[in-house]
Amino acid sequence: MSSLFTYTLRIADSSLILGQRMSEWCSNGPTLEEDIALSNISLDMFGQANGFYEYAAQLDGTKSADDLAFKRNEREFFNHQMVEIENGHFGNTMVRNFLHDAFNFLFYTELANSKDETLAALAAKSLKEVKYHLRHSSNWLIRLGDGTEESNLKVQDSLNEIWQFTNELFEMDEIDTELLNSGIAVDNKALKEQWNTIVNNTLSKAKLTRPEDAYMATGGKKGMHTEYLGFILAEMQFLQRAYPNAKW
Amino acid sequence: MAENATVWEVFIQSKNGLAHKHAGNVHADDKIMALENARELYTRRNEGSCIWVVKSEHITSSESEDSEAFFDPSNDKMYRHPTFYTMPEGSKHI
């Protein structure tokens, strides 16, 4: 596996798994309008994933984008652990998405300047959608945090619980470093400061308290996952596993 | 959002310079949510370049029983239509 292939796959995996999680909201949204909003976000994530998988397939030369999405096992997925945790209640989903959207927004802004033209183009396209996702999740975080006593408590609890998954977003391993040196990859560490600014501003508007860094989860990029990913893949991949190459 | 959430009327402008047209309505608890819900429901297929949302309660409508007094008198006033003028060449959106 080339470094560029793995790097592209990681981006695709995070988009796919978050898209799959968001699709669970379809028909379960709190209102009709919000249900459609959540499903639209899910479809945006699938679209982004598809772009990166197509590129990864091209780099690989033997597997198709569908093979990559549906015929790999848990340990061969390299998404951030944050995107695989359960949706929980609506506020919980908005907290998770906000933390990830803020990262994605900064990440794609930088990746759009990549020396790899395909990655740069995919990033520029994704960025437009992610800007809206960030706006959507920020507004909900503010509405719920600065809402009632109950809504504030609920999203503060979610924030405390999900915080452990934030550190992984900024990690740099040997693949990141190698591709950063050749002008292709994003310096994740360097995004932290701007991420802090976005997060702190929004949390203060939402009357929420930023949790202290304590135990921080890691390993998603290396194929180490929470207990949830296996269940997601079981549901998502069932059809292609049971009826290989089935077409709509 | 409570069951009795506010209803907002949605107006979409399809292209810069054209008038905003009524597209439908959405439920929302505040104006930011109304704008975002309108975006999700009414501009999914590239319909718009600008959205207005207005609380339905702020719209005053004529009543159907008034329609005779309001609209019938214009039936026989052909001279109000500018059909007797030649349109200048190149004029648009008229």
Side-chain angles (χ1 to χ4, degrees):
Chain A
M1 284 199 289
S2 76
S3 298
L4 183 58
F5 171 77
T6 307
Y7 188 75
T8 307
L9 207 53
R10 286 173 176 175
I11 303 171
D13 285 348
S14 282
S15 307
L16 178 67
I17 301 301
L18 188 57
Q20 180 69 15
R21 272 296 187 220
M22 294 309 287
S23 76
E24 293 171 15
W25 276 108
C26 184
S27 81
N28 293 311
T31 64
L32 175 68
E33 286 86 346
E34 193 53 39
D35 194 287
I36 291 171
L38 298 168
S39 302
N40 281 347
I41 291 172
S42 171
L43 290 172
D44 285 349
M45 300 313 291
F46 287 144
Q48 292 173 18
N50 188 56
F52 287 100
Y53 280 134
E54 289 290 352
Y55 184 43
Q58 192 190 318
L59 293 168
D60 177 79
T62 55
K63 293 192 175 94
S64 71
D66 278 352
D67 290 339
L68 293 171
F70 297 116
K71 292 177 184 167
R72 279 180 303 141
N73 293 327
E74 197 182 339
R75 291 291 295 271
E76 298 159 319
F77 267 78
F78 304 124
N79 55 280
H80 296 131
Q81 289 185 1
M82 183 188 280
V83 298
E84 65 199 47
I85 58 173
E86 290 181 305
N87 285 334
H89 57 72
F90 175 73
N92 195 72
T93 295
M94 285 301 108
V95 171
R96 178 197 62 204
N97 284 22
F98 165 71
L99 296 170
H100 204 262
D101 293 343
F103 170 79
N104 259 354
F105 166 67
L106 299 169
F107 178 79
Y108 284 130
T109 303
E110 285 305 311
L111 191 63
N113 302 320
S114 172
K115 275 194 182 152
D116 185 294
E117 284 178 13
T118 309
L119 285 184
L122 288 168
K125 184 172 178 286
S126 305
L127 183 60
K128 289 186 189 175
E129 294 171 345
V130 169
K131 274 184 191 167
Y132 187 81
H133 300 166
L134 177 59
R135 179 191 159 110
H136 173 262
S137 57
S138 305
N139 285 334
W140 269 112
L141 201 64
I142 294 167
R143 214 174 269 132
L144 293 169
D146 189 17
T148 65
E149 198 179 331
E150 185 186 359
S151 70
N152 176 281
L153 271 177
K154 278 190 159 177
V155 288
Q156 182 68 57
D157 277 352
S158 297
L159 187 63
N160 298 345
E161 192 59 37
I162 297 170
W163 194 253
Q164 61 184 301
F165 297 104
T166 55
N167 198 52
E168 191 187 18
L169 306 175
F170 306 100
E171 285 176 358
M172 292 291 286
D173 70 355
E174 65 284 355
I175 289 177
D176 294 309
T177 310
E178 178 200 326
L179 294 179
L180 174 64
N181 290 337
S182 49
I184 293 173
V186 173
D187 186 351
N188 298 327
K189 266 205 177 83
L191 302 179
K192 184 74 184 269
E193 207 181 304
Q194 280 175 283
W195 185 84
N196 279 336
T197 309
I198 296 176
V199 167
N200 293 346
N201 283 343
T202 309
L203 291 186
S204 119
K205 281 188 205 159
K207 301 196 163 62
L208 294 166
T209 313
R210 182 183 165 118
E212 295 290 322
D213 287 1
Y215 167 75
M216 287 297 190
T218 181
K221 280 192 198 185
K222 300 284 182 201
M224 306 296 289
H225 293 283
T226 67
E227 61 191 296
Y228 304 116
L229 186 65
F231 293 99
I232 297 176
L233 296 186
E235 188 171 313
M236 188 180 79
Q237 297 181 334
F238 166 77
L239 199 84
Q240 278 299 321
R241 300 282 194 169
Y243 306 96
N245 305 320
K247 296 248 182 273
W248 284 100
Chain B
M1 189 157 40
E3 284 199 3
N4 54 359
T6 312
V7 179
W8 303 67
E9 299 301 323
V10 179
F11 300 83
I12 307 281
Q13 183 188 38
S14 59
K15 248 171 43 187
N16 207 2
L18 295 185
H20 288 65
K21 279 198 176 146
H22 187 237
N25 51 37
V26 290
H27 291 92
D29 285 328
D30 56 54
K31 54 189 178 185
I32 295 172
M33 197 196 292
L35 209 50
E36 292 185 2
N37 286 348
R39 181 262 188 191
E40 300 290 355
L41 265 71
Y42 294 107
T43 65
R44 283 157 54 92
R45 298 174 192 87
N46 216 13
E47 293 94 334
S49 62
C50 181
I51 305 173
W52 286 349
V53 287
V54 182
K55 274 188 189 172
S56 303
E57 67 188 38
H58 289 159
I59 292 183
T60 310
S61 169
S62 63
E63 307 287 339
S64 53
E65 61 255 36
D66 293 333
S67 75
E68 213 177 64
F70 267 48
F71 308 117
D72 285 0
S74 64
N75 272 349
D76 56 355
K77 297 185 174 63
M78 277 306 292
Y79 53 85
R80 289 183 179 169
H81 292 271
T83 50
F84 310 102
Y85 301 96
T86 328
M87 286 291 288
E89 235 170 89
S91 55
K92 286 176 185 162
H93 306 313
I94 294 181

